[in-house]
Amino acid sequence: MTTLTDLQGTYTIDPAHSRLGFVARHAMVTKVRGSFTEFEGAARTETGLENAAIELTAQVASIDTRNADRDGHLRTNDFFDAERFPTIEFRSTDVTAADDDTLRVTGDLTLKGVTKPVTIDFEYGGQARDPYGNERIGFDGATTIDRSDFGITFNAALETGGVLVSDKIRLEFEVSAVKNA
């Protein structure tokens, strides 16, 4: 089996086979899931995925929670302010192997013009050659952020206590990447 230290070159995220998503608590009783449908990214390395340079850019306007009214509200200044801040960006600052199957990626996440460090553990799903001759690698990862740290503070108090939208947001990454020729 190919290990994290065996992988070399440039790998480009395949958005048709990947998902960049999030989960937020709504009304303190349920979870709302969403994703960004337009994004791109790559990992570049000469010595295995440890120490790779990883970057990701998502288009805020592509947010999709399966509810057009909610998506429209999320694009406003109450949340992402897509007109002034059209992208969400991530740039790695440190990439290490936490173990044989886990890549620990620390980097700068920029949301709504605010940049903060985050760490994401990615489970290595493996490597395969697809029917078209492309070498693919897969990773799944997640982390939790406080949206207020990024200036996203809109909320409403509930009569029963609590708030409409949780501050803690789970970011989820399901990545299929193709090695560049």
Side-chain angles (χ1 to χ4, degrees), residues 137-176:
I137 56 174
F139 288 92
D140 289 326
T143 193
T144 300
I145 62 167
D146 291 340
R147 65 187 176 91
S148 60
D149 289 347
F150 295 90
I152 303 172
T153 57
F154 172 84
N155 229 325
L158 300 175
E159 288 180 19
T160 56
V163 291
L164 184 62
V165 183
S166 62
D167 188 40
K168 294 207 177 298
I169 306 296
R170 179 175 167 85
L171 303 178
E172 300 174 332
F173 306 87
E174 298 165 13
V175 177
S176 176

Side-chain angles (χ1 to χ4, degrees), residues 50-92:
E50 285 189 290
N51 301 312
I54 300 172
E55 57 189 47
L56 175 73
T57 301
Q59 300 301 314
V60 172
S62 75
I63 197 164
D64 181 8
T65 64
R66 299 176 11 161
N67 180 289
D69 289 340
R70 180 174 44 231
D71 295 347
H73 189 200
L74 289 169
R75 290 182 189 108
T76 71
N77 188 42
D78 282 347
F79 290 94
F80 289 106
D81 196 358
E83 189 171 312
R84 286 185 48 216
F85 304 103
T87 60
I88 296 170
E89 297 180 1
F90 176 81
R91 303 284 177 266
S92 67

Side-chain angles (χ1 to χ4, degrees), residues 18-66:
S18 300
R19 179 179 171 269
L20 174 56
F22 58 90
V23 180
R25 300 278 307 163
H26 180 261
M28 309 300 290
V29 297
T30 191
K31 295 178 183 176
V32 170
R33 298 178 187 281
S35 61
F36 295 91
T37 59
E38 295 177 24
F39 56 90
E40 61 186 17
R44 293 171 187 78
T45 181
E46 295 178 12
T47 59
L49 283 180
E50 285 189 290
N51 301 312
I54 300 172
E55 57 189 47
L56 175 73
T57 301
Q59 300 301 314
V60 172
S62 75
I63 197 164
D64 181 8
T65 64
R66 299 176 11 161

Side-chain angles (χ1 to χ4, degrees), residues 58-130:
Q59 300 301 314
V60 172
S62 75
I63 197 164
D64 181 8
T65 64
R66 299 176 11 161
N67 180 289
D69 289 340
R70 180 174 44 231
D71 295 347
H73 189 200
L74 289 169
R75 290 182 189 108
T76 71
N77 188 42
D78 282 347
F79 290 94
F80 289 106
D81 196 358
E83 189 171 312
R84 286 185 48 216
F85 304 103
T87 60
I88 296 170
E89 297 180 1
F90 176 81
R91 303 284 177 266
S92 67
T93 57
D94 186 55
V95 181
T96 58
D99 58 42
D100 289 344
D101 296 318
T102 307
L103 199 63
R104 180 159 294 143
V105 179
T106 299
D108 293 325
L109 177 65
T110 303
L111 290 169
K112 202 173 180 179
V114 177
T115 301
K116 298 281 183 183
V118 297
T119 298
I120 309 160
D121 282 348
F122 285 94
E123 182 180 337
Y124 178 50
Q127 179 267 340
R129 189 161 305 279
D130 69 21

